[in-house]
Structures are given as structure tokens and as C-alpha cells.
């Protein structure tokens, strides 16, 4: 899952939302000690959610859509972004509060905790808010924009990530079906992780 889904799965507290977003920016076990427990717990949960997602049969099948093009290695990134689009597009199905209210909350948290953010997230957060990255996922073109942006941050093979967009367009119904099969099960698994 990508930023929107991770933040939403952590909506039970502001510290949890921060931890969910930090999951892609804080690495290793030793760095966890730098964060208060509620944030630390959510960083670890983020990692577990990523593993659950990668291992889910529906997601694995969706990655297989990219095999013929030799792009399976990059498919997970594209699917994560696309799944955020599926969540945003069907927001009302999963949440009573408007998407804009939730994304505004996320941006407020990032702004309020700016001094604590790792440099990469600190640089990204103002752009994320200014361009409403999370809310923009409701529009399909945002998937392409986000993937192209990610491709520029890869140390190599960014062109292969961009090439995945054509495969995704050609198989969008199957990717949507994978989300529909996977996401309700993720909700149950992520809820169980909270209770452990």
C-alpha cells in the first residue's frame, strides 16, 4: 500500500498516522528507538502491512500481469500507487468522513511534526500538502503522475517503472479486481495487528 492507505489504516491517532508515514523513511531496528512508542508501533505495523500486501495471493497474481513485459520487479510499486487510487476513488465505501477532511488532517500532522521528520520526508511533506497528493489519488491521472515522480527518485531503471504504466492501463480491470479481493482482507489483518 502507498501513503494514503497506510495513513488511513492508522487513523486511530495522530501519532499512529505519523508512524504509518514514517514506515517508508525509517529503516532498521536501531532507529526505532528514536521514536515514542505509539509512533514506533505504527512504523513496525507499516512494515507488517507491506509484507502482508506483498504476500497476498491476489496481489501476487496482479504482479503476474507484468510478467510478459519483464516488469514484475517494478509492479509492486505501481500497484501500491494504483491501490491508493482505488481507495480514494471509492472513499465513501470505506469511510464516513470526506476524503478532503482526512487528507487535511494528515497534512496538519506532518506540518506540526516537521522538526521531527527525517530529511527526505521533511522535504516531501510540503509538496505533498501543496499539491494534495493524497486527495489527488481520486483522479486516475494521478497514478501516472505519482509513478513518474517515483521513477525520477530511483537510482536506476526508472524507465522500467514508467513502462509499467502501459501494462497497468491494459490490465486495469484485473488490478481493480485484485484490490477488491485484497483490501477487505487487509482491513481485517491490519485490525488484528493492532490488537497484538
Amino acid at each position: 500500500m502507498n501513503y494514503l492507505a497506510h495513513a488511513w489504516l492508522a487513523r486511530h491517532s495522530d501519532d499512529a498516522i505519523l508512524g504509518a508515514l514514517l514506515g517508508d523513511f525509517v529503516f532498521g531496528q536501531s532507529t526505532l528507538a528514536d521514536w515514542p512508542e505509539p509512533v514506533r508501533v505504527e512504523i513496525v505495523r507499516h512494515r507488517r502491512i507491506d509484507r502482508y500486501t506483498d504476500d497476498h495471493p491476489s496481489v501476487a497474481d496482479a504482479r503476474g500481469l507484468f510478467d510478459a513485459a519483464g516488469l514484475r520487479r517494478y509492479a509492486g510499486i505501481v500497484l501500491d500507487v494504483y491501490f491508493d487510487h482505488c481507495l480514494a476513488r471509492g472513499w465513501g465505501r470505506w469511510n464516513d468522513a470526506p476524503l478532503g477532511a482526512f487528507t487535511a488532517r494528515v497534512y496538519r500532522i506532518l506540518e506540526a511534526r516537521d522538526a521531527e521528520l527525517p530529511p527526505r520526508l521533511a522535504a516531501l511533506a510540503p509538496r505533498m500538502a501543496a499539491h494534495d497528493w493524497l486527495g489527488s489519488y481520486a483522479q486516475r491521472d494521478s497514478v501516472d503522475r505519482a509513478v513518474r515522480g517515483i521513477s525520477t527518485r530511483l537510482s536506476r531503471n526508472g524507465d522500467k517503472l514508467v513502462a509499467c504504466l502501459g501494462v497497468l492501463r491494459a490490465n486495469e480491470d484485473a488490478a481493480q479486481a485484485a484490490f477488491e479481493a485484497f483490501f477487505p482482507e487487509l482491513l481485517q489483518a491490519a485490525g488484528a495487528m493492532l490488537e497484538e
Side-chain angles (χ1 to χ4, degrees):
M1 302 310 295
N2 205 35
Y3 300 133
L4 178 61
H6 276 295
W8 184 73
L9 289 168
R11 65 195 179 281
H12 49 275
S13 81
D14 289 359
D15 278 343
I17 288 174
L18 178 63
L21 294 172
L22 287 169
D24 285 330
F25 299 91
V26 173
F27 306 102
Q29 288 298 111
S30 61
T31 55
L32 287 175
D34 298 340
W35 298 96
E37 184 178 354
V39 175
R40 185 172 57 243
V41 164
E42 203 61 38
I43 293 170
V44 171
R45 186 167 168 252
H46 173 120
R47 295 171 184 172
R48 293 180 66 200
I49 287 168
D50 280 350
R51 269 193 313 277
Y52 180 89
T53 300
D54 290 343
D55 293 342
H56 194 280
S58 295
V59 177
D61 288 348
R63 283 195 309 272
L65 299 168
F66 297 79
D67 284 349
L71 297 170
R72 184 183 188 101
R73 179 176 180 194
Y74 306 93
I77 297 169
V78 174
L79 289 170
D80 280 351
V81 174
Y82 183 75
F83 290 166
D84 264 9
H85 165 64
C86 294
L87 173 60
R89 187 181 59 207
W91 187 260
R93 177 176 167 197
W94 308 104
N95 199 325
D96 293 335
L99 176 59
F102 178 73
T103 61
R105 177 184 175 197
V106 173
Y107 302 143
R108 278 193 306 273
I109 292 165
L110 288 172
E111 183 178 17
R113 307 286 287 268
D114 178 64
E116 301 170 52
L117 302 180
R120 215 172 104 230
L121 181 54
L124 211 62
R127 291 196 317 261
M128 186 185 290
H131 299 286
D132 188 22
W133 286 7
L134 302 178
S136 75
Y137 279 129
Q139 284 77 49
R140 175 57 181 83
D141 289 347
S142 293
V143 173
D144 294 357
R145 256 192 318 279
V147 169
R148 285 191 179 95
I150 294 167
S151 76
T152 65
R153 295 190 297 274
L154 293 180
S155 58
R156 57 191 168 105
N157 296 325
D159 57 320
K160 291 185 178 178
L161 184 62
V162 172
C164 288
L165 292 172
V167 177
L168 177 63
R169 285 266 182 204
N171 294 282
E172 206 151 326
D173 288 345
Q176 174 71 38
F179 174 81
E180 294 295 332
F182 151 73
F183 197 66
E185 294 180 14
L186 172 65
L187 296 183
Q188 288 183 339
M193 290 174 199
L194 274 177
E195 295 169 8
E196 293 175 359

